[in-house]
Amino acid sequence: MSEDCDLTELLAVLDDEYARAILTETSVEPMSASTLSDRCDASLPTIYRRLDRLTECQLITEETELAQDGNHYSVYSANLDSLELSLEEGEFSLDLSYRDQDVADKFTQMWEGMR
């Protein structure tokens, strides 16, 4: 689990219907905030607030894409692969696994970050 996000905060994030909708949509393909706004039937400020919380908990990753006109914009992808909550000896534990990222994708992100 992310060091920035404890169990209570993570469960609160996942309790939010918009956060779950964002995770669901971005698990299929990367999407911009405006596309997520349309797909999740939520305002852009709502989407950005949820994206911030999801990013803090490392459930979403952000990448920059270059548009045909030379502008750039962010797209978001679900980073969560699975989540397992267990209760043993009076304590909850949470085990998160994240999606594996292709080495070529990591190199591309690093290269784009240097521009």
Side-chain angles (χ1 to χ4, degrees), residues 4-75:
D4 298 334
C5 190
D6 66 8
L7 175 63
T8 303
E9 184 178 355
L10 182 68
L11 293 176
V13 169
L14 294 174
D15 187 43
D16 183 88
E17 71 176 285
Y18 292 119
R20 289 192 313 271
I22 290 168
L23 281 172
T24 301
E25 293 293 337
T26 59
S27 71
V28 178
E29 64 180 314
M31 293 185 185
S32 67
S34 61
T35 301
L36 284 166
S37 177
D38 293 339
R39 297 257 180 107
C40 299
D41 193 29
S43 68
L44 270 175
T46 297
I47 294 297
Y48 280 117
R49 280 192 302 273
R50 293 335 185 269
L51 286 169
D52 285 344
R53 291 181 71 195
L54 289 163
T55 301
E56 286 173 9
C57 291
Q58 298 180 1
L59 300 176
I60 288 280
T61 58
E62 179 182 2
E63 296 178 27
T64 301
E65 291 205 355
L66 189 61
Q68 295 280 347
D69 61 4
N71 290 320
H72 63 279
Y73 62 98
S74 293
V75 292

Side-chain angles (χ1 to χ4, degrees), residues 78-82 97-103 105-106:
N79 192 35
L80 178 66
D81 187 41
S82 67
S97 63
Y98 299 100
R99 292 182 173 200
D100 289 331
Q101 191 175 31
D102 185 5
V103 174
D105 290 341
K106 287 182 183 179

